[in-house]
Amino acid sequence: MTPLEPDASGQLILGDGCLDVFGLPGDPLDAAVARLRAGVQPTTEDIAMLTEAARTAQRAFAEIDAANAVLDSASSRSEDLVATLDDSLHRRVRTEIPPLLGALRVQAAHVERSEAIRTVANRILSDDEPDEPITLKPVPALTSGLLPRVPSVYDDAEEPVNDLADAGERQERLERVRQRVRRERVQRVAAHLITLAEEIVDRAFTDARFTRAVLDEMDRAYTLWCACLDEG
């Protein structure tokens, strides 16, 4: 049997027979433990097998501890990223947004790799079957059509215009409304971005499929946010 070892990327690789160390009925390790419990003097092979099993378990527990540390670090760093994202959106500095979205993706990828290692470690320790993937929670999508519509000069075209002063007043009123709606559209998309970011951070990125779907929606929402800014 080969002990648990990391590959070049730091992930765990199970050597041939590594899973046989734990929990399989009638395996050599069970037999060795049974002999020890019966008071039989362990053989050299028994000692080597038990030592290897203990080291494998130690490594698995260490990987679980490391995965917990990754989650703590990702949560802390990502809370700061969300706060910075909120500030950048409030200040409407569009060039600051893509690096922040990229940083969230980096954190998500780091957690996904770490959680894959945790799954292997738990499999070694408990011999449990992997959990069935849960149904993916739908990610709310925001489109321009779901935002308040910017009023057009044609909305009240049928209302009579008495003179140039009346027409000028109507135009000023329309422009005030248009500006208000444009601000609301920008704010609605910004709020959508923050809500999405907070949701994956609250989940600590542990639902990889949901996290990827949310990050994709955040990319689309950023494009929509920029389009709303360009409306004036």
Side-chain angles (χ1 to χ4, degrees), residues 2 9 12 44 58 62 74 102 128 134 137-138 144 147 185 187:
T2 304
S9 66
L12 297 181
T44 301
Q58 286 176 333
D128 289 338
I134 61 176
K137 176 183 175 181
S144 180
L147 297 174
R185 286 166 65 87
Q187 292 165 358

Side-chain angles (χ1 to χ4, degrees), residues 9-218:
S9 66
Q11 297 196 27
L12 297 181
I13 293 179
L14 299 182
D16 295 337
C18 189
L19 285 179
D20 292 338
V21 174
F22 293 96
L24 300 181
D27 70 11
L29 180 59
D30 285 341
V33 171
R35 287 193 293 272
L36 285 177
R37 288 175 175 172
V40 177
Q41 181 71 23
T43 65
T44 301
E45 290 77 9
D46 287 343
I47 294 173
M49 190 183 310
L50 292 167
T51 300
E52 183 176 331
R55 287 175 177 169
T56 301
Q58 286 176 333
R59 182 59 183 274
F61 279 120
E63 294 295 351
I64 291 174
D65 288 341
N68 290 336
V70 168
L71 286 183
D72 291 341
S73 175
S75 295
S76 176
R77 293 180 182 180
S78 299
E79 286 174 1
D80 292 338
L81 286 173
V82 173
T84 304
L85 176 63
D86 192 19
D87 178 65
S88 297
L89 290 167
H90 179 74
R91 292 184 293 108
R92 300 188 176 189
V93 186
R94 67 179 75 195
T95 56
E96 293 180 357
I97 310 302
L100 295 172
L101 298 181
L104 285 172
R105 282 193 181 273
V106 169
Q107 292 296 319
H110 194 188
V111 170
E112 185 173 354
R113 289 192 298 269
S114 177
E115 289 303 296
I117 296 173
R118 183 201 296 275
T119 298
V120 175
N122 282 329
R123 174 76 174 88
I124 292 169
L125 293 172
S126 65
D127 196 34
D128 289 338
E129 292 298 323
D131 294 334
E132 290 294 326
I134 61 176
T135 302
L136 180 64
K137 176 183 175 181
V139 176
L142 186 62
T143 64
S144 180
L146 296 175
L147 297 174
R149 187 179 69 85
V150 179
S152 165
V153 294
Y154 300 104
D155 291 342
D156 59 355
E158 295 182 359
E159 294 185 15
V161 178
N162 296 325
D163 51 33
L164 290 177
D166 187 17
E169 182 180 344
R170 179 183 297 183
Q171 182 62 35
E172 290 178 2
R173 183 173 63 250
L174 174 62
E175 190 56 33
R176 287 195 298 270
V177 174
R178 287 164 62 90
Q179 289 296 333
R180 176 179 57 78
V181 173
R182 287 168 182 152
R183 287 194 299 270
E184 184 178 349
R185 286 166 65 87
V186 171
Q187 292 165 358
R188 287 274 297 274
V189 182
H192 180 61
L193 277 162
I194 293 300
T195 297
L196 292 172
E198 289 176 340
E199 186 155 6
I200 56 174
V201 171
D202 286 345
R203 293 182 178 212
F205 302 98
T206 51
D207 187 336
R209 292 185 305 154
F210 178 75
T211 297
R212 289 194 294 269
V214 168
L215 290 169
D216 289 344
E217 170 60 18
M218 290 182 73

